[in-house]
Amino acid sequence: MGYNRTVIINATTDPGGIFGTTGNQKLGIPGGQPIAGASSLAFNTDGFSNVGGGASDSATVDNVFQYGDNFTYQYGRHTFKSGFQFLRYQQNRFYAGNNGLLGNFTYTGTYTGSSLADFLLDDLNSKGRGSQTGKWGHRQWRDAIFFQDDWKLRPNLTINIGLRWEYTQPVYEVKDREANIDLNTGKGWEYTQPVYEVKDREANIELNTGKELFAGKDGNSRALYKPYYKQFEPRVGFAWTPGMLGNKFVVRAGYGITSFMEGTGANLRLTLNPPFFFESAVQYSTTQPGSITSGFTDVLPQNTVSGQVRAWNPDLRPAFIQQWNLSNEYQFSNTFSLTVGYVGQKGTHLVDPREYNQPLPGVGPVSTWAPLQTRRPLYAFQPLITNISGTDSSSTTWYNGLQMSGRKRLSGGLEFIASYTLSRTLTDNLGYYGSGGVNAEGAYWQNAYDRIGDRGPGFFNALHNFSLGGTYDLPFGKTRTMGKAWNRATDFVLGGWTLNYVASLHSGFPVTIQTTDLTNMAVRQNTRPNRYGALTYSNQSIDNWFGTGNTFCGPGINDGKCAYGQMAPGTFGNSAKGTEHAPDFKNLDLGIGKKFNLTERRYFDFRAEFFNALNHTSFSPPARNIAAPASFGTITSTVSSPRNIEFALKFYF
């Protein structure tokens, strides 16, 4: 049994009280504000820093109760293992929404090519603001049982067979303060005992008519999505040592399925739907910009469902990850062995965010299209709903890797383990929790109606990955190979030193090229251009990582010379994600230490640590927006820290 409690509070402050509770008013932005500070003014191009802050405040109190036990029974050549685990989750939380309590105004350069120029001309691309409400309480059980048999069929052959079953109860709110949007028929679902919010403060929304479905009412379940009972997870494997090779060679293989229900993040919970919560999110069309002069006065809560809402697919289910491997290990000596193996993985039903109300294309030239809001699928039924932040389970991932490792156990004063991986990861969704330090695609698909268009290298994909770590006893001193005749004073100072080292190297992560949105449909932004050819990568520098001599074509134009070009107005770019790569990463940490013995029991332990010992600079990803050619390919920061040296001395007595 066990219990764990976590409390996390994130609150925005107004340093020095510069803005106060009338910050927006001081800046000429109407609409009031619930806390001190000022709304965020975001500039997506030109390299300008944002002004103000959105204030995505949150307060979380998590309680986890654990109950479980394992049993082991040996019978002949069999070792049977079984067990169970029951986890009770309680989460009480407030979240202001991604747009925050103070909200944001975003300028993208859509109208002039420069975000600063858009701001100066009052050409606003998007705006939004969340709400300040009380906490909501989500509850859930996660249960599992398993059985496993380790069968030693022969002295040199062991077979492992097992099966695990899990049940992830649908999440519910304690007072049913949730709402969902019906994705299928416009009618409420009649599910029994899914995960629900403690007080049924949830609602979902039907995507055919926009009808809001409330937790625990009109036949709806408390969780507003179906339970899933088929989380069967088989595992099978073997280890075989052929006798003809002197018991120095081992073959191992295995296959297994793991299943889990990924978290969606607070921003997509059904508790953040009207009437329990309100969040505005307005995306203006590429031909009709908005104005900051109206502030948030035109996006106030209504007496009907409106603004940005959330919807969970009623068939939402846990992800299934299939994993398989085959490896060979050979022992060359009593202290050194080498392992070479293949590892594969396929993931299906990964939970992903999805825009369920993306505007459809208009008729005729883009300049004559109807306003963006009127082209949304739900406009005829719910004209006040803007974005629908959907939670789905339709994403996939693939991984294939050649993995090699060599291990030398301590002998002659040297031990190490070295690993190399040649691999590739493909995905069609970034996931919920971002990709800090990597210039990846957005969390939402570029085109909500084209999942395959976002299939490409995962943001963490590194073709080559090498690591080396170990220790080396320097061969100097009375107990080492050199210096056995040293006197005590010389040995005290120069003898008995030990070196430790860790080296890490990997290929650069993928870079997804972006451009200013000309689609007049992509309310989630993160649009990609058309790709016509390869970048030069010639004469590389931190000012031109992608090389010199690269040119970019205008909207819908391909002159045969440009690598990329802006998409034609009203269309999505054809470039895949992760088409380029960032700089490689290289790092070496060193340490050296020694014990200075005063007596047998009393001694000083001295260590010197050199982090990034070679002071090698590993650079951050370069700027990647072709709509800002002056900064394209420019690197302005690093992912490595400069050399850091630490000394430590400890006395043992």
Side-chain angles (χ1 to χ4, degrees):
M1 297 179 62
Y3 169 72
N4 181 64
R5 181 180 177 89
T6 303
V7 179
I8 303 174
I9 306 295
N10 294 312
T12 300
T13 60
D14 180 23
I18 297 174
F19 290 108
T21 57
T22 59
N24 279 358
Q25 181 180 337
K26 293 174 182 176
L27 297 176
I29 303 173
Q33 60 190 83
I35 63 173
S39 298
S40 169
L41 305 182
F43 304 94
N44 286 3
T45 62
D46 305 326
F48 290 99
S49 300
N50 296 346
V51 177
S56 294
D57 292 4
S58 65
T60 303
V61 178
D62 283 347
N63 297 310
V64 181
F65 302 87
Q66 304 177 39
Y67 313 91
D69 205 350
N70 296 326
F71 308 91
T72 301
Y73 175 69
Q74 289 186 316
Y75 179 78
R77 296 183 178 182
H78 296 268
T79 300
F80 300 105
K81 299 177 182 178
S82 63
F84 66 91
Q85 182 183 58
F86 304 120
L87 299 180
R88 175 63 170 173
Y89 285 87
Q90 295 179 350
Q91 183 181 77
N92 301 305
R93 186 164 191 175
F94 159 74
Y95 185 61
N98 281 2
N99 287 324
L101 293 174
L102 293 173
N104 58 75
F105 299 90
T106 303
Y107 300 89
T108 61
T110 297
Y111 307 102
T112 65
S114 164
S115 57
L116 180 61
D118 280 2
F119 169 71
L120 295 175
L121 294 174
D122 193 23
D123 288 339
L124 181 65
N125 181 256
S126 64
K127 67 179 179 181
R129 186 168 69 174
S131 301
Q132 188 166 38
T133 61
K135 288 183 179 178
W136 37 264
H138 267 151
R139 303 292 185 265
Q140 182 187 50
W141 280 99
R142 295 186 182 182
D143 307 328
I145 57 175
F146 77 91
F147 176 82
Q148 179 176 315
D149 179 16
D150 297 331
W151 181 19
K152 200 170 184 63
L153 184 62
R154 300 179 60 182
N156 64 343
L157 176 62
T158 300
I159 297 176
N160 313 102
I161 301 174
L163 178 66
R164 181 182 178 92
W165 177 80
E166 295 185 12
Y167 173 64
T168 305
Q169 184 188 21
V171 179
Y172 64 91
E173 208 274 337
V174 290
K175 294 183 179 179
D176 292 344
R177 292 168 292 188
E178 293 187 322
N180 202 1
I181 299 177
D182 187 343
L183 305 179
N184 296 314
T185 65
K187 299 179 180 179
W189 305 297
E190 297 180 356
Y191 307 149
T192 57
Q193 201 55 29
V195 176
Y196 55 92
E197 206 275 347
V198 186
K199 297 184 180 180
D200 291 348
R201 293 169 291 189
E202 297 183 313
N204 204 351
I205 297 179
E206 179 212 302
L207 287 190
N208 286 338
T209 66
K211 179 182 178 181
E212 197 169 21
L213 304 175
F214 292 93
K217 295 178 174 61
D218 301 323
N220 300 324
S221 70
R222 299 189 70 186
L224 297 169
Y225 68 100
K226 300 175 184 177
Y228 186 80
Y229 298 107
K230 299 179 181 180
Q231 285 182 262
F232 293 99
E233 305 166 34
R235 288 94 188 269
V236 61
F238 73 86
W240 176 48
T241 304
M244 73 284 293
L245 295 176
N247 294 325
K248 293 185 177 182
F249 183 68
V250 181
V251 180
R252 301 181 180 90
Y255 170 84
I257 295 177
T258 59
S259 178
F260 59 96
M261 189 69 184
E262 296 178 277
T264 64
N267 186 59
L268 272 71
R269 299 295 179 96
L270 297 179
T271 49
L272 301 188
N273 272 337
F276 315 111
F277 180 88
F278 174 77
E279 182 175 26
S280 61
V282 180
Q283 174 71 45
Y284 296 101
S285 71
T286 57
T287 58
Q288 298 172 321
S291 172
I292 197 174
T293 58
S294 61
F296 297 109
T297 58
D298 56 346
V299 287
L300 299 175
Q302 307 294 316
N303 57 5
T304 184
V305 60
S306 61
Q308 177 168 279
V309 297
R310 284 81 178 162
W312 283 22
N313 190 322
D315 294 316
L316 188 70
R317 51 165 291 181
F320 269 63
I321 311 299
Q322 300 180 70
Q323 299 172 315
W324 55 90
N325 65 80
L326 173 65
S327 66
N328 302 307
E329 181 178 8
Y330 187 76
Q331 182 181 343
F332 288 88
S333 68
N334 290 334
T335 61
F336 181 74
S337 62
L338 178 67
T339 302
V340 179
Y342 161 72
V343 176
Q345 177 176 292
K346 178 184 178 182
T348 55
H349 301 288
L350 274 66
V351 175
D352 56 272
R354 182 177 180 182
E355 173 53 55
Y356 282 135
N357 205 25
Q358 177 180 295
L360 300 170
V363 178
V366 175
S367 59
T368 64
W369 284 9
L372 182 145
Q373 179 66 17
T374 65
R375 289 184 279 110
R376 292 183 183 269
L378 279 183
Y379 182 77
F381 306 100
Q382 294 285 4
L384 298 181
I385 290 180
T386 56
N387 293 342
I388 298 180
S389 300
T391 294
D392 214 327
S393 53
S394 57
S395 287
T396 61
T397 182
W398 278 91
Y399 171 87
N400 289 281
L402 171 67
Q403 299 181 356
M404 304 174 62
S405 66
R407 180 178 181 182
K408 184 184 184 304
R409 294 169 178 82
L410 183 62
S411 66
L414 175 67
E415 70 171 337
F416 67 81
I417 181 168
S419 300
Y420 169 74
T421 300
L422 173 68
S423 65
R424 189 184 188 198
T425 302
L426 295 175
T427 68
D428 53 28
N429 188 261
L430 174 72
Y432 282 95
Y433 298 105
S435 52
V438 180
N439 278 350
E441 71 278 14
Y444 289 81
W445 299 329
Q446 174 187 234
N447 181 357
Y449 310 118
D450 182 17
R451 174 173 65 88
I452 301 302
D454 269 54
R455 185 172 175 82
F459 70 84
F460 51 85
N461 179 71
L463 182 63
H464 303 284
N465 200 321
F466 174 79
S467 65
L468 171 67
T471 62
Y472 177 54
D473 296 332
L474 298 180
F476 307 108
K478 295 179 69 66
T479 60
R480 308 285 171 88
T481 57
M482 302 174 63
K484 294 182 181 297
W486 285 356
N487 59 44
R488 184 175 179 181
T490 302
D491 183 64
F492 184 81
V493 176
L494 300 179
W497 290 90
T498 298
L499 178 72
N500 59 78
Y501 48 91
V502 177
S504 301
L505 304 88
H506 65 72
S507 304
F509 293 123
V511 172
T512 297
I513 303 301
Q514 294 185 339
T515 188
T516 299
D517 175 33
L518 299 180
T519 67
N520 212 1
M521 295 178 282
V523 292
R524 296 293 180 173
Q525 298 296 304
N526 299 306
T527 51
R528 302 189 293 271
N530 286 331
R531 187 170 189 243
Y532 302 120
L535 295 172
T536 65
Y537 284 94
S538 62
N539 303 315
Q540 283 182 280
S541 68
I542 62 172
D543 296 320
N544 292 283
W545 169 252
F546 297 120
T548 58
N550 292 306
T551 60
F552 308 111
C553 290
I557 298 173
N558 179 11
D559 62 4
K561 301 177 182 179
C562 54
Y564 290 90
Q566 288 186 296
M567 73 286 281
T571 66
F572 287 94
N574 64 15
S575 177
K577 70 179 186 181
T579 53
E580 310 301 333
H581 63 84
D584 299 340
F585 176 85
K586 302 180 180 71
N587 185 72
L588 174 65
D589 296 333
L590 294 176
I592 190 168
K594 169 182 167 56
K595 292 181 179 179
F596 294 88
N597 290 290
L598 303 179
T599 66
E600 185 176 346
R601 295 178 54 191
R602 295 178 176 86
Y603 61 91
F604 286 98
D605 189 355
F606 171 78
R607 297 196 61 79
E609 304 284 354
F610 302 84
F611 300 99
N612 191 7
L614 303 180
N615 204 29
H616 176 79
T617 302
S618 293
F619 292 104
S620 297
R624 38 70 181 269
N625 194 318
I626 68 168
S631 62
F632 183 80
T634 301
I635 295 175
T636 58
S637 60
T638 66
V639 295
S640 60
S641 300
R643 182 192 296 120
N644 183 24
I645 303 175
E646 295 181 2
F647 298 98
L649 182 66
K650 184 184 294 185
F651 179 58
Y652 290 85
F653 59 92

